[in-house]
């Protein structure tokens, strides 16, 4: 955040005095970054790429798509068959949504492992969660646009969640629909909002990065570092090249889906035009919403299920205060490490149960998974911070490397001042 | 300074009055923006549907579309009516007599919204543990009177407003 930057050229100086964009650019390239960032830290850049990809392909698709209940399904087929490269652009957009969520889940679980949500980064975390909520809303509305059977019934089920609200629920649902069921007005407004929300996400991403640049990046050992110092490298070229390499690997997977199995993450029922008289035998949301769907279905009460489902996301907002441990990185938290992986397995289990029918053993396991999900936040994390004996924390990123192995003399004893 | 602040003066009145007028004005412009999302005149105009029921055999049912939602019209057999009425009301999650769900003297005709009260899917007919309807989405079982018996749905399937125009026609809405 040094203000010493002055542009070399006279024109640059003239402009920068009036709008300091060049100072901002210099801040971004010189931004001191911990030198030990591993590949889990490359997903911020990958996510930026995903967002831009969705916006660019989305704008192009909107040039050919028709948001009308009678025409939407056919217009999507028109894109697939008639529009030049329409198939490619649509497959990038539809698989891009899945790739976006894959990256965001890795990004979130990276935060959970390395304690990136803890002080002083709570605001970054909360803005990130708002982005995640907007992403889910955007993806849901986008899935409705092709107006297939899954679009229609997915829209019906999700909007009906609001009817669980006592007293005003029915009015809210009708208001969301603009009709007495999911119908043309619903499709029309979903298209409008699906176009708007990504730009709101862009705004939040700018705030997310701004908030990040105040304290600077967390790092794999989770200690505060002096910036700039021997422990940091400038963002450019060190991080840009690492991010670019990771992005290339990510694009190989992305391309694999787009070119070799573009429909594997979708559902074949969505190639049947929407029919308000017939519900598909087995309704499932997109894979990235399955854990929450499992929580919804595991509760035998309508309102209770809806509350727990929304609660499972909103509890993340208070996570920085539920986790009582002052040590950030799981590297130095021998017990949290186990509970972290149990939690990962629990979320994956919930995801699997969300895809299975809600009966018998699946339902029982979904209930156990749901209970554990909340126990992790409400019991495990607060208690662990008090009971756990954490490992000694190095004084700096360089310290353990330079002293060839763990030297207790270099370790901090005072955990409160990490 | 502090003495002056405590005294209500002309400026305080102007502040309060300005805020009030501002809030009313804001509300007046926000409401149209909110209300435009409610069902429009064209949607409301589709509010009634007439159905010819002369072709429905006893024990059979048809589904018609009313306001974008399916409506089940089932002509029940005497056995089915008896079974629906033999239930102990205390066993029902949402207690309601079968007699209250049909028109008097037209007990064979069950007319109800074919919409699961859980999350809005269309239940399948002649399925489930109670010989009525079964919702495939989240496993709600309904009986021969369309009452919820088992599963996450909170209430019985809704009975819309309807009337018999003549012996062969039902008007829904």
């Amino acid at each position: 955040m040094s203000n010493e930057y002055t542009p070399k050229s006279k024109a640059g100086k003239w402009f920068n005095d009036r709008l300091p964009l060049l100072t901002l650019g210099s801040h971004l390239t010189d931004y001191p970054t911990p030198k030990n960032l591993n590949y889990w830290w490359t997903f911020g850049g990958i996510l930026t790429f995903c967002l831009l990809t969705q916006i660019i392909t989305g704008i192009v698709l909107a040039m050919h798509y028709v948001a009308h209940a009678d025409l939407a399904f056919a217009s999507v087929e028109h894109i697939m068959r008639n529009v030049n490269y329409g198939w490619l652009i649509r497959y990038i957009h539809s698989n891009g949504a899945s790739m976006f969520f894959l990256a965001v889940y890795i990004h979130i679980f990276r935060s959970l492992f390395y304690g990136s949500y803890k002080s002083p980064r709570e605001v970054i975390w909360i803005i990130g969660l708002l982005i995640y909520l907007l992403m889910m809303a955007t993806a849901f509305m986008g899935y409705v646009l092709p107006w297939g059977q899954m679009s229609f019934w997915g829209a019906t089920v999700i909007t009906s969640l609001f009817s669980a609200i006592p007293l005003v629920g029915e009015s809210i649902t009708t208001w969301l629909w603009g009709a007495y069921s999911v119908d043309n007005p619903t499709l029309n407004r979903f298209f409008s909002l699906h176009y708007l929300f990504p730009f709101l996400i862009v705004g939040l991403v700018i705030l997310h990065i701004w908030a990040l640049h105040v304290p600077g990046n967390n790092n794999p050992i989770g200690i505060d570092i002096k910036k700039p110092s021997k422990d940091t490298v400038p963002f450019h070229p060190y991080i840009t090249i690492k991010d670019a390499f990771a992005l290339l690997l990510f694009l190989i997977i992305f391309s694999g889906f787009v070119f070799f199995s573009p429909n594997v993450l979708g559902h074949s029922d969505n190639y049947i035009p929407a029919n308000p008289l017939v519900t598909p035998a087995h309704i499932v949301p997109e894979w990235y919403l399955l854990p929450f769907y499992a929580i919804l279905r595991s509760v035998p009460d309508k309102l209770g299920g809806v509350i727990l489902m929304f609660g499972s996301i909103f509890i993340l907002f208070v996570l920085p205060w539920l986790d009582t441990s002052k040590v950030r990185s799981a590297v130095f938290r021998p017990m949290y490490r186990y509970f972290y992986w149990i939690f990962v397995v629990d979320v994956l289990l919930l995801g699997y149960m969300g895809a299975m029918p809600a009966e018998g053993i699946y339902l029982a396991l979904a209930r156990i998974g749901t209970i554990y999900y909340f126990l992790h936040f409400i019991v495990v994390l607060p208690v662990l911070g008090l009971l756990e004996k954490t490992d000694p924390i190095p004084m700096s990123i360089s310290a353990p490397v330079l002293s060839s192995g763990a030297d207790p003399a270099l370790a901090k004893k005072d955990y409160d001042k990490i | 300074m502090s003495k002056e602040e405590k005294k209500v003066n002309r400026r305080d009145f102007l502040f309060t009055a300005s805020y009030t007028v501002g809030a009313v004005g804001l509300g007046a412009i926000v409401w149209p923006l909110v209300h435009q999302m409610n069902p429009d005149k064209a949607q409301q105009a589709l509010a009634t549907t007439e159905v010819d029921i002369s072709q429905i055999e006893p024990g059979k049912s048809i589904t018609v579309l009313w306001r974008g939602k399916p409506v089940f019209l089932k002509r029940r057999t005497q056995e089915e009516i008896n079974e629906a009425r033999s239930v102990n009301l205390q066993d029902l999650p949402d207690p309601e007599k079968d007699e209250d769900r049909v028109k008097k003297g037209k007990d064979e005709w069950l007319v109800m919204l074919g919409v699961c009260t859980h999350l809005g899917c269309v239940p399948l007919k002649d399925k489930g543990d109670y010989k009525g309807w079964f919702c495939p989405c989240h496993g709600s079982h309904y009986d021969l009177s369309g009452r919820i018996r088992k599963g996450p749905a909170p209430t019985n399937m809704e009975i819309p407003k309807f009337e018999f125009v003549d012996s062969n026609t039902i008007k829904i809405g």
Side-chain angles (χ1 to χ4, degrees):
Chain A
M1 288 279 204
S2 66
N3 292 323
E4 295 147 24
Y5 172 80
T6 33
K8 286 195 185 77
S9 73
K10 218 175 161 190
K13 193 174 176 319
W14 179 89
F15 182 80
N16 204 50
D17 285 344
R18 282 149 185 81
L19 179 68
L21 269 187
L22 296 170
T23 305
L24 177 66
S26 129
H27 161 73
L28 292 176
T29 51
D30 297 346
Y31 173 65
T33 319
K35 66 179 180 183
N36 61 339
L37 294 190
N38 56 34
Y39 274 103
W40 300 114
W41 259 265
T42 59
F43 283 86
I46 288 171
L47 283 163
T48 312
F49 172 85
C50 287
L51 179 58
L52 292 177
T53 305
Q54 291 306 91
I55 288 178
I56 293 166
T57 52
I59 288 171
V60 174
L61 287 172
M63 295 178 185
H64 305 279
Y65 170 78
V66 185
H68 188 282
D70 297 337
L71 304 170
F73 189 88
S75 78
V76 172
E77 284 310 301
H78 160 73
I79 289 170
M80 294 302 288
R81 292 153 196 255
N82 303 336
V83 175
N84 301 327
Y85 288 110
W87 60 271
L88 175 66
I89 295 158
R90 174 166 177 256
Y91 277 152
I92 291 174
H93 196 73
S94 59
N95 286 283
S98 282
M99 292 298 110
F100 203 164
F101 275 95
L102 175 67
V104 92
Y105 281 127
I106 294 173
H107 193 64
I108 291 172
F109 276 100
R110 191 286 319 272
S111 277
L112 292 178
F113 188 84
Y114 294 110
S116 302
Y117 51 86
K118 293 188 195 188
S119 171
R121 296 183 180 83
E122 301 95 323
V123 173
I124 311 174
W125 171 254
I126 287 168
I127 294 171
L129 287 174
L130 292 176
I131 293 172
Y132 174 53
L133 281 178
L134 276 183
M135 277 175 65
M136 289 198 285
T138 311
F140 158 66
M141 290 190 289
Y143 194 59
V144 174
L145 301 183
W147 212 240
Q149 273 289 65
M150 276 294 162
S151 300
F152 184 90
W153 291 103
T156 300
V157 168
I158 300 296
T159 49
S160 295
L161 291 177
F162 294 93
S163 71
I165 302 168
L167 300 176
V168 293
E170 292 295 334
S171 317
I172 290 179
T173 317
T174 308
W175 178 73
L176 288 172
W177 289 340
Y180 301 101
S181 61
V182 172
D183 210 333
N184 190 50
T186 324
L187 175 62
N188 234 294
R189 64 191 54 181
F190 276 18
F191 180 57
S192 170
L193 296 175
H194 182 72
Y195 206 115
L196 166 72
F197 278 21
F199 297 98
L200 298 183
I201 295 177
V202 169
L204 283 175
V205 165
I206 290 170
L207 292 183
H208 192 61
I209 296 171
W210 187 0
L212 168 71
H213 280 229
V214 176
N217 287 70
N218 186 28
N219 61 77
I221 59 172
I223 58 167
D224 283 336
I225 50 171
K226 263 179 42 196
K227 293 168 295 249
S229 71
K230 272 202 305 187
D231 280 348
T232 66
V233 290
F235 189 82
H236 183 75
Y238 294 94
I239 303 297
T240 39
I241 196 67
K242 186 163 181 163
D243 278 0
F245 180 64
L247 178 61
L248 281 178
L249 298 181
F250 185 78
L251 280 176
I252 292 173
I253 299 168
F254 196 151
S255 307
F257 279 109
V258 170
F259 293 104
F260 295 99
S261 52
N263 286 308
V264 75
L265 297 170
H267 201 295
S268 52
D269 273 331
N270 220 27
Y271 283 101
I272 303 169
N275 179 355
L277 291 178
V278 182
T279 306
H282 188 45
I283 291 197
V284 280
E286 293 279 78
W287 68 267
Y288 39 82
L289 302 175
L290 286 173
F292 306 109
Y293 194 58
I295 291 175
L296 169 76
R297 295 194 306 180
S298 70
V299 186
D301 175 76
K302 184 173 170 181
L303 181 60
V306 172
I307 289 174
L308 276 202
M309 187 186 74
F310 283 110
S312 66
I313 298 168
F314 285 112
I315 200 166
L316 295 169
F317 281 86
V318 288
L319 170 63
W321 297 275
L322 289 174
D323 187 344
T324 50
S325 177
K326 294 267 192 321
V327 177
R328 290 196 195 101
S329 174
V331 170
F332 304 106
R333 298 186 61 189
M335 284 169 76
Y336 174 70
R337 263 202 314 268
Y338 289 115
F339 284 105
Y340 172 84
W341 288 112
I342 293 171
F343 181 69
V344 172
V345 171
D346 185 56
V347 173
L348 292 175
L349 173 95
L350 279 173
Y352 181 69
M353 294 311 149
M356 294 292 117
E359 55 197 29
I361 182 73
Y362 299 124
L363 187 57
L365 285 172
R367 285 184 175 154
I368 294 170
T370 301
I371 292 167
Y372 186 78
Y373 182 96
F374 286 98
L375 278 182
H376 177 81
F377 291 106
I378 297 171
V379 178
V380 173
L381 288 182
V383 172
L384 211 53
L386 307 174
L387 296 183
E388 187 178 38
K389 195 177 174 319
T390 52
D391 294 336
I393 285 163
M395 294 288 281
S396 74
I397 293 172
S398 308
V401 182
L402 296 176
S403 65
S404 69
D407 182 351
L410 286 168
K412 271 197 182 179
K413 293 288 188 295
D414 188 355
Y415 301 132
D416 289 340
K417 288 188 189 160
I418 309 153
Chain B
M1 188 72 187
S2 62
K3 268 182 195 166
E4 275 177 40
E5 276 176 7
K6 275 178 190 162
K7 212 169 67 185
V8 178
N9 55 27
R10 223 161 58 136
R11 178 147 297 183
D12 292 328
F13 171 76
L14 284 174
F15 276 138
T16 312
S18 308
Y19 286 139
T20 310
V21 172
V24 170
L26 196 67
I29 194 61
V30 165
W31 175 244
L33 291 174
V34 171
H35 190 52
Q36 54 84 22
M37 281 176 69
N38 273 316
D40 55 37
K41 299 275 188 306
Q43 289 290 335
Q44 289 170 4
L46 302 171
T48 61
T49 303
E50 290 202 358
V51 189
D52 177 10
I53 53 171
S54 58
Q55 304 299 316
I56 307 172
E57 301 284 328
K60 298 289 178 195
S61 66
I62 62 164
T63 306
V64 297
L65 210 55
W66 173 64
R67 298 210 301 195
K69 281 179 177 163
V71 174
F72 295 154
L73 295 99
K74 183 171 169 83
R75 186 173 183 180
R76 299 182 297 178
T77 61
Q78 193 56 46
E79 280 167 36
E80 288 175 327
I81 298 173
N82 292 344
E83 183 161 346
R85 295 188 175 179
S86 64
V87 180
N88 186 354
L89 280 188
Q90 268 134 24
D91 297 341
L92 299 174
D94 180 17
E96 200 180 358
K97 278 200 226 162
D98 181 63
E99 287 87 336
D100 298 340
R101 293 175 60 77
V102 293
K103 294 272 190 236
K104 207 162 182 192
K106 301 272 190 186
D107 302 53
E108 58 177 358
W109 290 104
L110 180 65
V111 178
M112 63 183 180
L113 280 187
V115 175
C116 181
T117 56
H118 182 224
L119 293 173
C121 297
V122 179
L124 305 168
K125 65 179 175 185
D126 306 325
K127 285 241 166 65
D129 297 354
Y130 299 90
K131 297 180 199 164
W133 287 264
F134 170 71
C135 181
C137 292
H138 309 99
S140 293
H141 300 255
Y142 295 88
D143 67 11
L144 284 161
S145 190
R147 293 172 296 197
I148 179 67
R149 300 297 289 272
K150 201 169 99 181
T155 56
N156 305 330
M157 277 195 265
E158 197 184 322
I159 306 290
K161 194 174 149 240
F162 72 96
E163 62 187 44
F164 287 86
V165 179
D166 53 53
S167 56
N168 283 336
T169 315
I170 288 179
K171 189 172 98 177
I172 307 167

